[in-house]
Amino acid sequence: MISGRAKLAGVAGWPIGHSLSPALHGFWIEEHKLDAAYVPLAIAPGDFKDAFAALPKLGFRGLNVTLPHKEAAFALSTGHDEAARITGAVNTIVFDEGRVLGRNTDVYGFSQLLRDNGIGSLSNRVAVVLGAGGAARAVIASLIGLGAARVVVVNRTLDKAQALAALFGARVVAQEGLAALGEAYLLVNTTSLGMAGQPPLAVDLGAMSRGSAVIDIVYRPHETALLAQAKALGLKAIDGLGMLLHQAQPGFAAWFGVEPKVTPQLRAHLVGVMERG
Ligand code: ATR
């Protein structure tokens, strides 16, 4: 039950119907018995600017922003955190007395996913990143932040991989093909390939050495074919759900004043929501 004083936040995207964020934040709101609501906001691209400007007037404390609005949210923010500046994209907004703080918590979310899986420092390590879109940018920023010696970006469109690499300096390089897999400690898929309804991702992981890890930021299905292959080869297989859970924490804390926890119960709840479709 919410009262007339309920704290409000939500997630803006187009489409938004498949977002797990309302179930995720709703779980925490219930867990902490907060007088708060977190709602899906289906906002068409052409309406984003007007709708965004209206939200603080409607009493919203902030919002999450997902596809295709992350760059528009960056442009409409009056202040940015470092991760937002590095990525040029904003996924978390805090409205604060007329100011609009734009943050990118995907970078933090990916770093926490690695830490949860026992991967703290990447010094002397090589990582291969598949894809060169917005998700790749956040992942690369995180890998560099954790000290990766080299990040190799492999993408269908080489130009985009080269442009992305150029943003990060000498430690990030674009390559054609997967020759770097043999020396990779981590492989991260940031493309949508392998997601339910998308074409499969055809990558042979046979060259990766034991002790290395494969991370798929796709989490629908929960275990992608890429992760199944990694497991079969005895590699560490890490799904992307943890990134979603961790990226949600800073926004929740800022809007609702409670530091929520990522727990096995939360994870199980969201896996259940996904299974029910
Ligand atoms: P996001 O912001 O979620 O990363 P995006 O910017 O659209 O989304 O990036 C999607 C990534 O998946 C891109 O690297 C894209 O490759 P291109 O740069 O060549 O477009 C990659 N991708 C999408 N569909 C693909 C396909 N069928 N084959 C190979 N790569 C694909």
Side-chain angles (χ1 to χ4, degrees), residues 49 120 213 268:
K49 195 171 171 216

Side-chain angles (χ1 to χ4, degrees), residues 67 71 130-136 155-157 160 190-193 198-199:
L67 297 176
E71 285 78 18
L130 303 178
N155 190 46
R156 171 178 63 180
T157 313
K160 277 174 70 180
T190 74
T191 73
S192 46
L193 297 178
Q198 298 290 320

Side-chain angles (χ1 to χ4, degrees), residues 33-93:
K33 301 189 171 37
L34 300 182
D35 187 10
Y38 180 102
V39 295
L41 300 163
I43 304 177
D47 293 331
F48 187 71
K49 195 171 171 216
D50 290 344
F52 186 85
L55 289 172
K57 297 178 193 174
L58 294 167
F60 276 70
R61 292 172 170 244
L63 69 153
N64 285 128
V65 179
T66 187
L67 297 176
H69 300 313
K70 290 184 180 184
E71 285 78 18
F74 181 92
L76 294 170
S77 298
T78 54
H80 302 91
D81 72 358
E82 195 194 349
R85 281 194 295 274
I86 293 171
T87 55
V90 157
N91 74 333
T92 303
I93 293 280

Side-chain angles (χ1 to χ4, degrees), residues 119-204:
I119 301 170
S121 162
L122 294 174
S123 52
N124 301 318
R125 303 291 198 185
V126 174
V128 175
V129 172
L130 303 178
R137 253 198 216 207
V139 165
I140 295 168
S142 162
L143 295 170
I144 292 295
L146 292 171
R150 204 150 63 91
V151 178
V152 178
V153 186
V154 179
N155 190 46
R156 171 178 63 180
T157 313
L158 181 63
D159 289 5
K160 277 174 70 180
Q162 286 168 334
L164 183 56
L167 294 176
F168 284 95
R171 282 197 280 163
V172 183
V173 296
Q175 276 180 13
E176 266 180 299
L178 287 166
L181 273 192
E183 52 171 343
Y185 175 64
L186 284 183
L187 171 71
V188 188
N189 174 44
T190 74
T191 73
S192 46
L193 297 178
M195 191 185 290
Q198 298 290 320
L201 174 62
V203 171
D204 183 348

